[in-house]
Amino acid sequence: ALPHKTMLYYINDSDGCTFFFEKNKIIKKVQPKKGRLVLFDGLIKHAGCHPKKNNNRIVLNINYE
């Protein structure tokens, strides 16, 4: 993969966290909050989790150079 930046913008409150990994271990957990913006190196392994209490987890994901 080419170097890039990633932006996550959480459109609603939810309980489906975003996890960030280093060497397959979780190093950071971000709770989706309406209006929250997360910027990071797009090469960092990350994953979103399905919400259990909320009906939706709405996130705008933008990758850019």
Side-chain angles (χ1 to χ4, degrees):
L2 297 175
H4 64 283
K5 300 289 183 189
T6 297
M7 178 189 85
L8 299 178
Y9 178 73
Y10 297 101
I11 296 172
N12 69 325
D13 292 329
S14 183
D15 63 318
C17 292
T18 301
F19 296 96
F20 294 87
F21 301 89
E22 185 176 287
K23 297 181 182 176
N24 295 322
K25 292 187 179 186
I26 296 171
I27 57 169
K28 181 80 175 172
K29 177 174 85 169
V30 176
Q31 181 74 32
K33 296 288 183 190
K34 183 178 181 177
R36 179 173 280 168
L37 184 70
V38 180
L39 301 171
F40 59 96
D41 179 338
L43 296 179
I44 295 174
K45 189 185 284 189
H46 60 285
C49 182
H50 291 281
K52 295 179 181 175
K53 297 177 184 175
N54 300 91
N55 291 329
N56 296 304
R57 177 185 183 272
I58 306 171
V59 182
L60 176 62
N61 182 342
I62 298 174
N63 297 312
Y64 61 96
E65 292 183 19

